[in-house]
Amino acid sequence: MNNNSVDNPRKAVVLLSGGLDSATCLAIAKAEGFEVYALSFDYQQRHSSELAAARRIAESIGVAAHQVLAIDLRSWGGSALTSDSIDVPENRDIDGKSIPVTYVPARNLIFLSMATAYAEVLGARDIFIGVNSVDYSGYPDCRQAFIRSFAETARLGTCACDENWHFNIHTPLQDFSKAEIIRRGMELNVDYSQSVSCYQADAEGRACGKCDSCMLRKAGFAAAGVDDPTLYRN
């Protein structure tokens, strides 16, 4: 039977943070005909508004299942997103070459490892992650070299090694500018008003407008010529 038939669709695990990029990535996976299993993480990040956004997006776009997995990365901190003693930088010049304090050590390595385990249980061979290395903050776990290396590690560390298959780690946004990501999402009818990208959003999901993520998001909507639907505190 064709693995991409209506009766037996291909399954894919999609990492869904609740932000702009992951929402677009989820929509792309759906458009490519995958039966989508969304995976989000409550890692004790600075706020939970993005998890509420992830739930909205998963329901709006439509998924076969949406798992929210709890992992306490705050227990050792090391990032402005997992420690209240480290401030989120505001209004800084973003060059994508230096690693800011909002980098959560090995976060995508952890998330992709969990996604691989989930995919193996589901019988899925495809994993989507919305990493980008064009308009980004410089995180090492968003670069293509890491993704290529992880794909081989996933093969060697699972039944794929003995059964002679591999996981496909999809990074459809890897080489897109933020404006290109937004345009692609608009083509797929992504409702960006449902997403939360801000590193320090409040309980209502309103953005600060000053952190790296907000600045990249605002610049992306401006460059795309699309009205920014983000709710800002000020």
Side-chain angles (χ1 to χ4, degrees):
M1 182 182 292
N2 184 344
N3 284 336
N4 198 31
S5 69
V6 173
D7 295 329
N8 187 27
R10 291 177 298 164
K11 297 177 180 179
V13 174
V14 180
L15 292 173
L16 180 64
S17 70
L20 182 153
D21 293 346
S22 69
T24 309
C25 192
L26 178 64
I28 289 172
K30 281 276 292 187
E32 291 184 2
F34 287 96
E35 181 178 81
V36 172
Y37 292 78
L39 180 60
S40 304
F41 294 90
D42 178 356
Y43 60 94
Q44 296 297 300
Q45 56 265 57
R46 186 172 281 264
H47 66 80
S48 61
S49 295
E50 66 180 16
L51 289 174
R55 293 184 180 95
R56 291 193 298 268
I57 292 163
E59 182 176 357
S60 175
I61 293 178
V63 298
H66 180 207
Q67 296 271 353
V68 180
L69 192 61
I71 305 174
D72 186 7
L73 298 185
R74 185 171 286 269
S75 62
W76 55 67
S79 166
L81 303 190
T82 55
S83 173
D84 293 331
S85 65
I86 304 174
D87 292 333
V88 173
E90 296 182 351
N91 298 316
R92 77 179 189 99
D93 292 329
I94 305 170
D95 59 16
K97 297 177 182 178
S98 57
I99 301 174
V101 295
T102 49
Y103 164 66
V104 179
R107 179 175 59 180
N108 283 343
L109 176 60
I110 295 167
F111 289 0
L112 279 170
S113 296
M114 294 294 184
T116 300
Y118 188 27
E120 191 168 20
V121 170
L122 290 170
R125 299 187 181 183
D126 295 88
I127 298 169
F128 283 74
I129 181 170
V131 294
N132 170 267
S133 53
V134 178
D135 289 335
Y136 82 131
S137 294
Y139 300 160
D141 57 358
C142 287
R143 300 170 190 159
Q144 192 61 44
F146 162 68
I147 298 297
R148 287 195 299 267
S149 176
F150 181 84
E152 177 62 4
T153 297
R155 184 185 73 83
L156 293 173
T158 63
C159 290
C161 184
D162 290 351
E163 296 174 358
N164 197 30
W165 53 273
H166 64 276
F167 289 99
N168 303 304
I169 312 297
H170 300 263
T171 59
L173 312 181
Q174 186 72 62
D175 300 317
F176 280 19
S177 69
K178 194 66 72 176
E180 289 170 330
I181 293 171
I182 291 168
R183 292 191 191 106
R184 182 67 179 121
M186 297 298 290
E187 292 171 354
L188 296 172
N189 298 314
V190 175
D191 182 357
Y192 287 120
S193 70
Q194 296 181 331
S195 66
V196 174
S197 301
C198 180
Y199 291 147
Q200 48 190 356
D202 64 15
E204 285 78 42
R206 295 177 300 179
C208 72
K210 300 176 181 179
C211 68
D212 285 7
S213 189
C214 279
M215 293 175 69
L216 288 167
R217 180 176 170 125
K218 285 194 293 184
F221 278 109
V226 175
D227 289 339
D228 184 355
T230 308
L231 293 176
Y232 294 101
R233 290 199 291 272
N234 299 318

